[in-house]
Amino acid sequence: MERPVLPKGLPEDIEDKKDAARAWFESLRDTICASFEALENEVTGPMADREPGRFQAKDWQREEGKGG
């Protein structure tokens, strides 16, 4: 992906910082999902006969200009 022209005032390494933030949030997401799935594996009682729930990844893109 080609890097955009930077508006005045943004640091030169802004794209590197965005990449690092994306990686951190993806890692956080993966940790949270894995923790919920581990809890599902430990379910006891009336719901224990059900298959543990699992998250499913889905690629998607925001509509242009919406979100951040």
Side-chain angles (χ1 to χ4, degrees), residues 35-54:
S35 296
F36 277 117
E37 289 180 350
L39 287 172
E40 285 280 322
N41 292 337
E42 298 172 9
V43 170
T44 60
M47 303 283 280
D49 62 334
R50 294 186 180 190
E51 195 69 27
R54 295 291 176 251

Side-chain angles (χ1 to χ4, degrees), residues 2-4 6 11 13 15-16 19 23 28-35 42 46 55-56 61 64-65 67:
E2 191 173 318
R3 303 264 172 145
L6 296 176
D13 64 345
E15 293 300 320
D16 294 331
D19 291 342
L28 177 62
R29 175 205 59 208
D30 294 344
T31 299
I32 291 170
C33 290
S35 296
E42 298 172 9
F55 288 95
Q56 294 180 348
Q61 294 283 325
E64 191 65 36

